[in-house]
mmCIF file of all heavy atoms in Angstrom:
data_model
loop_
_atom_site.group_PDB
_atom_site.id
_atom_site.type_symbol
_atom_site.label_atom_id
_atom_site.label_comp_id
_atom_site.label_asym_id
_atom_site.label_seq_id
_atom_site.Cartn_x
_atom_site.Cartn_y
_atom_site.Cartn_z
ATOM 1 N N ALA L 145 51.637 110.672 83.400
ATOM 2 C CA ALA L 145 52.670 109.588 83.300
ATOM 3 C C ALA L 145 51.826 108.313 83.557
ATOM 4 O O ALA L 145 52.082 107.304 82.945
ATOM 5 C CB ALA L 145 53.679 109.851 84.484
ATOM 6 N N LEU L 146 50.880 108.340 84.461
ATOM 7 C CA LEU L 146 49.976 107.158 84.723
ATOM 8 C C LEU L 146 49.214 106.747 83.462
ATOM 9 O O LEU L 146 49.086 105.595 83.176
ATOM 10 C CB LEU L 146 49.070 107.435 85.893
ATOM 11 C CG LEU L 146 48.105 106.291 86.271
ATOM 12 C CD1 LEU L 146 48.752 104.966 86.515
ATOM 13 C CD2 LEU L 146 47.166 106.680 87.461
ATOM 14 N N GLY L 147 48.652 107.716 82.759
ATOM 15 C CA GLY L 147 47.964 107.561 81.451
ATOM 16 C C GLY L 147 48.889 106.791 80.418
ATOM 17 O O GLY L 147 48.378 105.876 79.790
ATOM 18 N N VAL L 148 50.081 107.270 80.295
ATOM 19 C CA VAL L 148 50.974 106.616 79.382
ATOM 20 C C VAL L 148 51.200 105.171 79.802
ATOM 21 O O VAL L 148 51.219 104.322 78.940
ATOM 22 C CB VAL L 148 52.368 107.315 79.299
ATOM 23 C CG1 VAL L 148 53.275 106.639 78.458
ATOM 24 C CG2 VAL L 148 52.135 108.780 78.686
ATOM 25 N N ALA L 149 51.516 104.883 81.091
ATOM 26 C CA ALA L 149 51.749 103.578 81.573
ATOM 27 C C ALA L 149 50.622 102.705 81.298
ATOM 28 O O ALA L 149 50.760 101.548 80.891
ATOM 29 C CB ALA L 149 52.137 103.704 83.087
ATOM 30 N N ASN L 150 49.384 103.170 81.580
ATOM 31 C CA ASN L 150 48.150 102.474 81.316
ATOM 32 C C ASN L 150 48.115 102.069 79.826
ATOM 33 O O ASN L 150 47.591 100.802 79.407
ATOM 34 C CB ASN L 150 46.963 103.165 81.796
ATOM 35 C CG ASN L 150 46.828 103.232 83.227
ATOM 36 O OD1 ASN L 150 47.484 102.372 83.924
ATOM 37 N ND2 ASN L 150 46.073 104.134 83.732
ATOM 38 N N ALA L 151 48.312 103.092 78.945
ATOM 39 C CA ALA L 151 48.179 102.830 77.471
ATOM 40 C C ALA L 151 49.160 101.752 77.071
ATOM 41 O O ALA L 151 48.892 101.042 76.156
ATOM 42 C CB ALA L 151 48.332 104.265 76.801
ATOM 43 N N ALA L 152 50.469 101.944 77.575
ATOM 44 C CA ALA L 152 51.494 101.013 77.215
ATOM 45 C C ALA L 152 51.104 99.575 77.624
ATOM 46 O O ALA L 152 51.364 98.565 76.905
ATOM 47 C CB ALA L 152 52.816 101.352 77.796
ATOM 48 N N LYS L 153 50.578 99.420 78.835
ATOM 49 C CA LYS L 153 50.352 98.146 79.313
ATOM 50 C C LYS L 153 49.159 97.517 78.334
ATOM 51 O O LYS L 153 49.190 96.340 78.106
ATOM 52 C CB LYS L 153 49.875 98.205 80.716
ATOM 53 C CG LYS L 153 49.530 96.885 81.389
ATOM 54 C CD LYS L 153 49.212 97.027 82.957
ATOM 55 C CE LYS L 153 49.064 95.627 83.580
ATOM 56 N NZ LYS L 153 48.692 95.769 84.970
ATOM 57 N N THR L 154 48.249 98.278 78.111
ATOM 58 C CA THR L 154 47.183 97.792 77.141
ATOM 59 C C THR L 154 47.658 97.382 75.799
ATOM 60 O O THR L 154 47.209 96.445 75.244
ATOM 61 C CB THR L 154 46.021 98.955 77.034
ATOM 62 O OG1 THR L 154 45.411 99.304 78.258
ATOM 63 C CG2 THR L 154 44.824 98.495 76.036
ATOM 64 N N ALA L 155 48.689 98.068 75.325
ATOM 65 C CA ALA L 155 49.271 97.800 74.021
ATOM 66 C C ALA L 155 50.338 96.567 74.186
ATOM 67 O O ALA L 155 50.673 96.147 73.107
ATOM 68 C CB ALA L 155 49.912 98.929 73.436
ATOM 69 N N GLY L 156 50.522 96.096 75.398
ATOM 70 C CA GLY L 156 51.402 95.006 75.542
ATOM 71 C C GLY L 156 52.901 95.358 75.471
ATOM 72 O O GLY L 156 53.717 94.578 75.173
ATOM 73 N N LEU L 157 53.213 96.716 75.691
ATOM 74 C CA LEU L 157 54.550 97.156 75.609
ATOM 75 C C LEU L 157 55.189 97.514 76.944
ATOM 76 O O LEU L 157 54.487 98.206 77.779
ATOM 77 C CB LEU L 157 54.554 98.365 74.659
ATOM 78 C CG LEU L 157 54.419 98.197 73.184
ATOM 79 C CD1 LEU L 157 54.360 99.426 72.437
ATOM 80 C CD2 LEU L 157 55.664 97.299 72.649
ATOM 81 N N PRO L 158 56.370 97.228 77.266
ATOM 82 C CA PRO L 158 57.042 97.679 78.453
ATOM 83 C C PRO L 158 57.140 99.202 78.374
ATOM 84 O O PRO L 158 57.213 99.781 77.244
ATOM 85 C CB PRO L 158 58.488 97.025 78.404
ATOM 86 C CG PRO L 158 58.254 95.854 77.464
ATOM 87 C CD PRO L 158 57.158 96.264 76.406
ATOM 88 N N CYS L 159 57.235 99.878 79.499
ATOM 89 C CA CYS L 159 57.439 101.343 79.452
ATOM 90 C C CYS L 159 58.320 101.832 80.526
ATOM 91 O O CYS L 159 58.629 101.105 81.451
ATOM 92 C CB CYS L 159 56.016 101.985 79.630
ATOM 93 S SG CYS L 159 55.393 101.980 81.341
ATOM 94 N N VAL L 160 58.927 102.989 80.182
ATOM 95 C CA VAL L 160 59.701 103.697 81.110
ATOM 96 C C VAL L 160 59.149 105.112 81.250
ATOM 97 O O VAL L 160 58.647 105.757 80.224
ATOM 98 C CB VAL L 160 61.243 103.823 80.387
ATOM 99 C CG1 VAL L 160 61.952 104.932 81.271
ATOM 100 C CG2 VAL L 160 61.883 102.547 80.528
ATOM 101 N N ILE L 161 59.118 105.696 82.391
ATOM 102 C CA ILE L 161 58.639 106.939 82.634
ATOM 103 C C ILE L 161 59.759 107.889 83.127
ATOM 104 O O ILE L 161 60.431 107.548 84.135
ATOM 105 C CB ILE L 161 57.585 106.969 83.883
ATOM 106 C CG1 ILE L 161 56.395 106.004 83.437
ATOM 107 C CG2 ILE L 161 57.075 108.335 84.163
ATOM 108 C CD1 ILE L 161 55.582 106.403 82.225
ATOM 109 N N SER L 162 59.965 108.980 82.394
ATOM 110 C CA SER L 162 60.921 109.907 82.685
ATOM 111 C C SER L 162 60.386 111.306 83.170
ATOM 112 O O SER L 162 59.643 111.970 82.432
ATOM 113 C CB SER L 162 61.877 110.104 81.477
ATOM 114 O OG SER L 162 62.964 111.012 81.780
ATOM 115 N N PHE L 163 60.569 111.625 84.324
ATOM 116 C CA PHE L 163 60.004 112.883 84.913
ATOM 117 C C PHE L 163 61.033 114.040 84.759
ATOM 118 O O PHE L 163 62.269 113.801 84.743
ATOM 119 C CB PHE L 163 59.687 112.821 86.399
ATOM 120 C CG PHE L 163 58.534 111.992 86.677
ATOM 121 C CD1 PHE L 163 58.640 110.713 87.333
ATOM 122 C CD2 PHE L 163 57.277 112.479 86.295
ATOM 123 C CE1 PHE L 163 57.455 109.966 87.564
ATOM 124 C CE2 PHE L 163 56.086 111.616 86.655
ATOM 125 C CZ PHE L 163 56.185 110.409 87.179
ATOM 126 N N THR L 164 60.544 115.221 84.616
ATOM 127 C CA THR L 164 61.355 116.429 84.591
ATOM 128 C C THR L 164 61.169 117.146 86.034
ATOM 129 O O THR L 164 59.982 116.967 86.586
ATOM 130 C CB THR L 164 61.190 117.409 83.537
ATOM 131 O OG1 THR L 164 62.181 118.448 83.550
ATOM 132 C CG2 THR L 164 59.788 118.036 83.488
ATOM 133 N N VAL L 165 62.151 117.818 86.485
ATOM 134 C CA VAL L 165 62.000 118.483 87.758
ATOM 135 C C VAL L 165 62.491 119.901 87.628
ATOM 136 O O VAL L 165 63.277 120.302 86.753
ATOM 137 C CB VAL L 165 62.719 117.793 88.924
ATOM 138 C CG1 VAL L 165 62.115 116.416 89.208
ATOM 139 C CG2 VAL L 165 64.235 117.780 88.567
ATOM 140 N N GLU L 166 62.028 120.841 88.611
ATOM 141 C CA GLU L 166 62.534 122.157 88.605
ATOM 142 C C GLU L 166 63.711 122.182 89.493
ATOM 143 O O GLU L 166 64.374 121.252 89.947
ATOM 144 C CB GLU L 166 61.437 122.996 89.221
ATOM 145 C CG GLU L 166 60.086 123.077 88.475
ATOM 146 C CD GLU L 166 60.216 123.816 87.160
ATOM 147 O OE1 GLU L 166 61.160 124.393 86.879
ATOM 148 O OE2 GLU L 166 59.340 123.609 86.300
ATOM 149 N N THR L 167 64.314 123.501 89.682
ATOM 150 C CA THR L 167 65.585 123.595 90.404
ATOM 151 C C THR L 167 65.437 123.167 91.909
ATOM 152 O O THR L 167 66.496 122.926 92.505
ATOM 153 C CB THR L 167 66.045 125.064 90.342
ATOM 154 O OG1 THR L 167 65.014 125.878 90.886
ATOM 155 C CG2 THR L 167 66.376 125.493 88.971
ATOM 156 N N ASP L 168 64.205 122.917 92.402
ATOM 157 C CA ASP L 168 64.101 122.493 93.716
ATOM 158 C C ASP L 168 63.910 120.916 93.859
ATOM 159 O O ASP L 168 63.687 120.488 94.916
ATOM 160 C CB ASP L 168 62.779 123.170 94.416
ATOM 161 C CG ASP L 168 61.491 122.815 93.735
ATOM 162 O OD1 ASP L 168 61.503 122.063 92.699
ATOM 163 O OD2 ASP L 168 60.501 123.254 94.253
ATOM 164 N N GLY L 169 64.085 120.334 92.736
ATOM 165 C CA GLY L 169 64.050 118.816 92.654
ATOM 166 C C GLY L 169 62.590 118.305 92.600
ATOM 167 O O GLY L 169 62.502 117.014 92.612
ATOM 168 N N HIS L 170 61.673 119.189 92.559
ATOM 169 C CA HIS L 170 60.267 118.699 92.516
ATOM 170 C C HIS L 170 59.603 118.884 91.081
ATOM 171 O O HIS L 170 60.152 119.665 90.224
ATOM 172 C CB HIS L 170 59.315 119.462 93.391
ATOM 173 C CG HIS L 170 59.576 119.212 94.873
ATOM 174 N ND1 HIS L 170 60.649 119.536 95.513
ATOM 175 C CD2 HIS L 170 58.760 118.527 95.687
ATOM 176 C CE1 HIS L 170 60.583 119.112 96.804
ATOM 177 N NE2 HIS L 170 59.433 118.477 96.938
ATOM 178 N N LEU L 171 58.714 118.021 90.660
ATOM 179 C CA LEU L 171 58.019 118.131 89.476
ATOM 180 C C LEU L 171 57.384 119.621 89.299
ATOM 181 O O LEU L 171 57.130 120.233 90.388
ATOM 182 C CB LEU L 171 56.881 117.116 89.277
ATOM 183 C CG LEU L 171 57.217 115.714 88.871
ATOM 184 C CD1 LEU L 171 58.236 114.960 89.671
ATOM 185 C CD2 LEU L 171 56.005 114.883 88.705
ATOM 186 N N PRO L 172 57.165 119.950 88.081
ATOM 187 C CA PRO L 172 56.549 121.391 87.998
ATOM 188 C C PRO L 172 55.130 121.575 88.713
ATOM 189 O O PRO L 172 54.814 122.731 88.894
ATOM 190 C CB PRO L 172 56.295 121.461 86.436
ATOM 191 C CG PRO L 172 57.432 120.646 85.884
ATOM 192 C CD PRO L 172 57.514 119.475 86.747
ATOM 193 N N THR L 173 54.511 120.452 89.089
ATOM 194 C CA THR L 173 53.280 120.478 89.822
ATOM 195 C C THR L 173 53.569 120.714 91.332
ATOM 196 O O THR L 173 52.683 120.959 92.151
ATOM 197 C CB THR L 173 52.455 119.185 89.617
ATOM 198 O OG1 THR L 173 53.351 118.121 89.937
ATOM 199 C CG2 THR L 173 51.889 118.991 88.275
ATOM 200 N N GLY L 174 54.818 120.568 91.786
ATOM 201 C CA GLY L 174 55.175 120.674 93.141
ATOM 202 C C GLY L 174 55.280 119.481 93.852
ATOM 203 O O GLY L 174 55.778 119.207 94.968
ATOM 204 N N GLN L 175 54.924 118.339 93.142
ATOM 205 C CA GLN L 175 55.070 116.943 93.704
ATOM 206 C C GLN L 175 56.514 116.540 93.679
ATOM 207 O O GLN L 175 57.294 116.781 92.842
ATOM 208 C CB GLN L 175 54.250 115.898 92.976
ATOM 209 C CG GLN L 175 54.215 114.508 93.466
ATOM 210 C CD GLN L 175 53.254 113.691 92.629
ATOM 211 O OE1 GLN L 175 53.112 113.689 91.439
ATOM 212 N NE2 GLN L 175 52.555 112.736 93.359
ATOM 213 N N SER L 176 56.985 115.739 94.691
ATOM 214 C CA SER L 176 58.309 115.288 94.806
ATOM 215 C C SER L 176 58.417 114.041 93.948
ATOM 216 O O SER L 176 57.440 113.395 93.595
ATOM 217 C CB SER L 176 58.686 114.929 96.220
ATOM 218 O OG SER L 176 58.004 113.765 96.711
ATOM 219 N N LEU L 177 59.617 113.833 93.462
ATOM 220 C CA LEU L 177 60.047 112.630 92.769
ATOM 221 C C LEU L 177 59.561 111.284 93.542
ATOM 222 O O LEU L 177 59.075 110.414 92.908
ATOM 223 C CB LEU L 177 61.401 112.489 92.434
ATOM 224 C CG LEU L 177 61.964 113.109 91.101
ATOM 225 C CD1 LEU L 177 63.475 113.154 91.114
ATOM 226 C CD2 LEU L 177 61.340 112.507 89.882
ATOM 227 N N ALA L 178 59.820 111.360 94.803
ATOM 228 C CA ALA L 178 59.590 110.225 95.601
ATOM 229 C C ALA L 178 58.000 109.980 95.615
ATOM 230 O O ALA L 178 57.563 108.797 95.483
ATOM 231 C CB ALA L 178 59.947 110.408 96.987
ATOM 232 N N GLU L 179 57.341 111.016 95.750
ATOM 233 C CA GLU L 179 55.730 110.886 95.746
ATOM 234 C C GLU L 179 55.275 110.357 94.324
ATOM 235 O O GLU L 179 54.419 109.520 94.248
ATOM 236 C CB GLU L 179 55.115 112.125 96.102
ATOM 237 C CG GLU L 179 55.320 112.652 97.522
ATOM 238 C CD GLU L 179 54.898 114.073 97.778
ATOM 239 O OE1 GLU L 179 54.913 114.821 96.803
ATOM 240 O OE2 GLU L 179 54.774 114.310 98.991
ATOM 241 N N ALA L 180 55.880 110.974 93.294
ATOM 242 C CA ALA L 180 55.360 110.599 91.973
ATOM 243 C C ALA L 180 55.710 109.204 91.689
ATOM 244 O O ALA L 180 54.763 108.369 91.150
ATOM 245 C CB ALA L 180 55.939 111.571 90.916
ATOM 246 N N ILE L 181 56.846 108.749 91.993
ATOM 247 C CA ILE L 181 57.203 107.357 91.651
ATOM 248 C C ILE L 181 56.451 106.374 92.559
ATOM 249 O O ILE L 181 55.996 105.312 92.042
ATOM 250 C CB ILE L 181 58.704 107.208 91.772
ATOM 251 C CG1 ILE L 181 59.505 108.000 90.666
ATOM 252 C CG2 ILE L 181 59.146 105.653 91.749
ATOM 253 C CD1 ILE L 181 60.979 108.001 90.842
ATOM 254 N N THR L 182 56.350 106.658 93.789
ATOM 255 C CA THR L 182 55.601 105.797 94.642
ATOM 256 C C THR L 182 54.136 105.689 94.276
ATOM 257 O O THR L 182 53.546 104.683 94.227
ATOM 258 C CB THR L 182 55.674 106.260 96.166
ATOM 259 O OG1 THR L 182 57.059 106.424 96.474
ATOM 260 C CG2 THR L 182 54.860 105.444 97.112
ATOM 261 N N GLU L 183 53.474 106.786 93.826
ATOM 262 C CA GLU L 183 52.158 106.781 93.257
ATOM 263 C C GLU L 183 52.025 105.917 92.093
ATOM 264 O O GLU L 183 51.063 105.146 92.009
ATOM 265 C CB GLU L 183 51.715 108.301 92.986
ATOM 266 C CG GLU L 183 50.255 108.359 92.417
ATOM 267 C CD GLU L 183 49.884 109.805 91.930
ATOM 268 O OE1 GLU L 183 50.576 110.697 92.364
ATOM 269 O OE2 GLU L 183 48.925 109.827 91.322
ATOM 270 N N LEU L 184 52.871 106.117 91.098
ATOM 271 C CA LEU L 184 52.808 105.299 89.902
ATOM 272 C C LEU L 184 52.950 103.841 90.173
ATOM 273 O O LEU L 184 52.229 103.018 89.618
ATOM 274 C CB LEU L 184 53.717 105.803 88.816
ATOM 275 C CG LEU L 184 53.182 106.693 87.653
ATOM 276 C CD1 LEU L 184 52.580 107.958 88.190
ATOM 277 C CD2 LEU L 184 54.054 106.774 86.454
ATOM 278 N N ASP L 185 53.978 103.497 90.975
ATOM 279 C CA ASP L 185 54.173 102.087 91.250
ATOM 280 C C ASP L 185 52.913 101.534 91.963
ATOM 281 O O ASP L 185 52.604 100.342 91.701
ATOM 282 C CB ASP L 185 55.330 101.888 92.146
ATOM 283 C CG ASP L 185 56.716 101.698 91.269
ATOM 284 O OD1 ASP L 185 56.531 101.617 90.099
ATOM 285 O OD2 ASP L 185 57.757 101.844 91.845
ATOM 286 N N ARG L 186 52.329 102.317 92.820
ATOM 287 C CA ARG L 186 51.068 101.860 93.608
ATOM 288 C C ARG L 186 49.915 101.624 92.668
ATOM 289 O O ARG L 186 49.172 100.563 92.639
ATOM 290 C CB ARG L 186 50.745 102.803 94.675
ATOM 291 C CG ARG L 186 49.489 102.370 95.479
ATOM 292 C CD ARG L 186 49.100 103.403 96.561
ATOM 293 N NE ARG L 186 48.831 104.690 96.034
ATOM 294 C CZ ARG L 186 49.439 105.830 96.036
ATOM 295 N NH1 ARG L 186 50.630 105.849 96.623
ATOM 296 N NH2 ARG L 186 49.045 106.890 95.480
ATOM 297 N N GLU L 187 49.724 102.518 91.697
ATOM 298 C CA GLU L 187 48.605 102.572 90.802
ATOM 299 C C GLU L 187 48.760 101.627 89.655
ATOM 300 O O GLU L 187 47.746 101.099 89.092
ATOM 301 C CB GLU L 187 48.307 103.912 90.287
ATOM 302 C CG GLU L 187 47.982 104.917 91.272
ATOM 303 C CD GLU L 187 46.549 104.583 91.892
ATOM 304 O OE1 GLU L 187 45.650 104.127 91.258
ATOM 305 O OE2 GLU L 187 46.510 105.008 93.166
#
């Protein structure tokens, strides 16, 4: 997701990031939505 955001920024395009989650509300990697969004906003 961070790679897509970086590529969009370089191209001068606004972007939206849409995550998918498992039945436990976490990304398939086990990361929480809160952690993923906070990480991307920080980076």
Side-chain angles (χ1 to χ4, degrees):
L146 176 57
V148 174
N150 288 338
K153 186 174 183 179
T154 299
L157 287 170
C159 74
V160 168
I161 302 296
S162 184
F163 288 111
T164 188
V165 296
E166 300 292 346
T167 55
D168 63 358
H170 287 70
L171 275 61
T173 56
Q175 187 179 33
S176 72
L177 270 172
E179 291 169 340
I181 291 171
T182 300
E183 177 185 349
L184 256 71
D185 272 350
R186 181 181 65 248
E187 296 295 327

